[in-house]
Amino acid sequence: MSAIASQPATGTLAVNDPATGKPIGEVPIHSLREVQEAAQRARAAQPRWAATPLRRRMEILREFQRLLCEQKAQVTSVITREAGKPRAEALATEILVVLDYVNYLVEAVPEFLRSESVRHTNPIMKLKRGTLLREPYGVIGIISPWNYPFSLPTTQVLTALITGNAVVLKPSEFTPFTSMEAHRLLLAAGLDPDLFQIVTGDGAAGAALLRADIQKIIFTGSVATGKRVAQAAAARLLPVVLELGGKDPMIVLEDADLDVVSSAAVWGAFMNAGQTCLSVERCYVHESIYDRFLQKCAEKTGKLRVGNGADRDTDVGPMIHQRQLQTVREHVEDAVAKGARLLCGGTPLPRLGPGFYAPTVLADVNHSMRIMREETFGPVLPVRSFKTEDEAVALANDSEFGLSASVWTSDTRRGEALARRIDAGAVMVNDMIACFGIGEAPHGGVKASGIGRTHGKFGLEEMVWPKYIDSDRIPRMKKLWWYGYGPEFFQQMSGFIEFLFHKKLRIRLRGGSKSTRSYLRRKLL
Ligand code: NAD
């Protein structure tokens, strides 16, 4: 049961520790009116912020970075308590990512926001000076999931703020307290509270945000909710970014280092209990190393310590809620019923708590099984063999998703060539998931994995709209294409087109002269 479903409509929402199932606090369920008021406050404050010198905006980010570095232990505890992940993992995949992302923003944004002069190719248009500006949208609505409750929304919030926007964030109902940590630190760093507001509640609060006075929505979550968000946004022509689910393939070529690649598969599948949009959801291994690879993966999986993320020794924590655990159960059962071999795991671990599931390695899976087609989002590594590179590429691309992928080989060039053939927003050669921690790397997918990007240059572009300003260098001259139509104008334009585009030099020159003569004979209105 979700935390929401167990709640009477009292106006508050309980948040549970996924390791124990026990409540750790509650947050208000904000009404449509409250969400709309938050957006209005943000809207009123935003023009002042956009006019604030970039230097000052960057100072606030730097101060936020300093405070986060200092208070990392506290933020990490909050993440672990409500998302369940091991504390060291929270440091590596949440805090570090955000700290580093601030460096990226501070370095990239001055150049990104600098006005750009636009060169004109058309000779007549050279009489004009073009300038491209990047304008903040206004208020960016951000709706986020629970699996990376700090790094996902915070990197989006920081990108929106530094480019001059205000933000209203609706965090997941399972992990609102983590977002409040980001909020607390940004306010302590000097940000005006109206510029970054958090509204809490379940899907209804997200739906309310879509009806509020926001100018763009950045949604991260499941495909099903993403479609609902896209429909609501379409009804009011609200621009959207959708960061949705994945079914990421890992391709292991025969020349890959077996020890390295088996460790990679185990980490890539079980990190955050498999609840990572970029985690290994399908693993394809060359037949010549298939058995040895499976044996190593099963051995290494057997050594993982499953438990409460707050314990120092824990490798794999709990799943976020029962619904998620049930999906994993069903996918594993379906695979085994259709002939997959269970090498280890395959069961919940109720003695540890309600949300624990044993890290599971499944061999001999195929694409008729749900585990190879639907997002499992749990601690399962399903593996099958392939014979040729072509077959591996076909299997990797045989999915409705296209978020990320990885290719493993000791021949980097071969890996890169294969990477180009895979339909995914990012493909890593000899690594996985880490692209989310590279500020410059655009994050996002193709196919059902979403629309648009966060992070990197493309992520910055999502936070602004381009404005083109054009100044004529000869303001006292009437334009050649204005009224005063008639046969001469036709001759002028026809000659001009020949001058610009005809393949033969003789005709081009003749066109130029015809155009000039006709122009001189014309009387412009
Ligand atoms: P979810 O779709 O259930 O919820 C996401 C957010 O949407 C929550 O805040 C929720 O309250 C809100 N919401 C629910 N209904 C809504 C509605 N009708 N209108 C507006 N908002 C609504 O997803 P989840 O279970 O929180 O997260 C898991 C999913 O997120 C997985 O599919 C995972 O792959 C995906 N994900 C994607 C990325 C990415 O970057 N592509 C990153 C992390 C997670």
Side-chain angles (χ1 to χ4, degrees), residues 182-239:
H183 187 254
R184 181 179 67 76
L185 293 174
L186 270 164
L187 264 48
L191 189 74
D192 172 350
D194 286 352
L195 290 169
F196 173 29
Q197 296 172 70
I198 296 184
V199 293
T200 49
D202 61 4
L209 184 53
L210 283 156
R211 292 171 60 191
D213 187 14
I214 57 172
Q215 283 66 56
K216 183 153 185 170
I217 188 85
I218 314 281
F219 171 82
T220 309
S222 62
V223 174
T225 313
K227 285 180 181 170
R228 281 197 285 277
V229 167
Q231 277 168 356
R236 51 173 287 195
L237 291 182
L238 185 70

Side-chain angles (χ1 to χ4, degrees), residues 143-148 152 170-174 201-204 206-207 210 219-223 225-226 228-229 243-246 276-277 321 323-324 375 377 403 436 443 449:
I143 301 178
S144 52
W146 44 263
N147 61 335
Y148 285 85
L152 263 170
K170 207 300 276 177
S172 168
E173 52 271 40
F174 299 101
D202 61 4
L210 283 156
F219 171 82
T220 309
S222 62
V223 174
T225 313
R228 281 197 285 277
V229 167
E243 297 284 6
L244 308 180
T276 300
C277 56
H321 51 56
R323 196 160 24 92
Q324 204 61 48
E375 192 180 42
F377 225 54
L403 192 53
F436 187 75
H443 174 68
S449 291

Side-chain angles (χ1 to χ4, degrees), residues 436-469:
F436 187 75
I438 301 171
E440 292 78 6
H443 174 68
V446 292
K447 302 196 269 186
S449 291
I451 297 170
R453 294 291 180 269
T454 56
H455 295 194
K457 191 173 71 178
F458 291 94
L460 285 167
E461 293 286 7
E462 299 282 4
M463 300 295 181
V464 292
W465 50 275
K467 180 195 272 181
Y468 175 69
I469 293 188

Side-chain angles (χ1 to χ4, degrees), residues 301-315:
T301 303
K303 292 183 183 153
L304 295 176
R305 295 155 302 186
V306 183
N308 191 318
D311 297 339
R312 274 176 182 272
D313 291 338
T314 294
D315 295 309

